[in-house]
């Protein structure tokens, strides 16, 4: 009887062992696949972020150049207005001194 028990238990051990080994392999494969997908997603997000930052930097530089141009134009218009005001003041002073 004891030999029968051993022979009966041996196949079940080996089949459960192969089942658990196969189960372990499937779990491991799923885990590795999940890690691979997560890494691909991280790389995709990094690439999108780099693209965004590059486009943002290009926009920022263009915006800064445009702002500087507007300020330069505004300062030159203001300077021209000051010069014109000084000339008018001189002309008025000349007219008042003539009278």
């Amino acid at each position: 009887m004891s030999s029968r028990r051993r022979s009966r238990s041996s196949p079940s051990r080996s089949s459960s062992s192969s089942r658990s080994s196969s189960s372990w392999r499937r779990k491991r494969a799923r885990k590795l696949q999940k890690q691979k997908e997560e890494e691909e997603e991280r790389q995709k997000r990094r690439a999108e972020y780099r693209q965004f930052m590059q486009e943002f930097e290009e926009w920022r530089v263009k915006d800064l150049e445009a702002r500087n141009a507007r300020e330069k134009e505004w300062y030159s218009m203001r300077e021209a207005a000051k010069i014109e005001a000084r000339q008018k003041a001189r002309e008025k002073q000349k007219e008042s001194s003539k009278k």
Side-chain angles (χ1 to χ4, degrees), residues 1-92:
M1 277 259 198
S2 64
S3 65
R4 281 185 176 176
R5 286 184 185 173
R6 284 183 193 158
S7 66
R8 285 182 186 168
S9 64
S10 291
S12 66
R13 282 184 193 160
S14 66
S15 70
S16 84
S17 171
S18 68
R19 272 188 255 144
S20 67
S21 174
S22 152
S23 173
W24 177 85
R25 284 189 179 105
R26 283 192 303 272
K27 285 181 181 178
R28 178 82 174 136
R30 281 193 299 266
K31 183 179 179 182
L32 291 173
Q33 181 64 29
K34 185 178 178 183
Q35 288 175 345
K36 181 181 175 185
E37 289 170 357
E38 288 172 349
E39 181 59 29
E40 288 172 354
E41 183 64 27
R42 278 192 293 272
Q43 288 177 353
K44 181 182 172 187
R45 277 190 246 124
R46 282 188 213 120
E48 288 172 353
Y49 180 75
R50 280 193 301 272
Q51 179 71 25
F52 168 79
M53 289 306 292
Q54 182 180 0
E55 290 173 359
F56 175 76
E57 184 63 18
E58 290 170 2
W59 171 84
R60 190 186 69 78
V61 168
K62 287 179 185 175
D63 184 61
L64 186 59
E65 289 172 353
R67 189 175 343 143
N68 288 342
R70 286 191 305 270
E71 286 178 1
K72 186 176 179 181
E73 182 181 352
W74 184 81
Y75 282 120
S76 66
M77 288 173 56
R78 187 170 175 201
E79 187 62 31
K82 285 181 182 179
I83 292 171
E84 187 179 335
R86 278 189 230 125
Q87 286 175 347
K88 286 183 180 179
R90 285 185 198 134
E91 288 174 6
K92 280 187 179 181

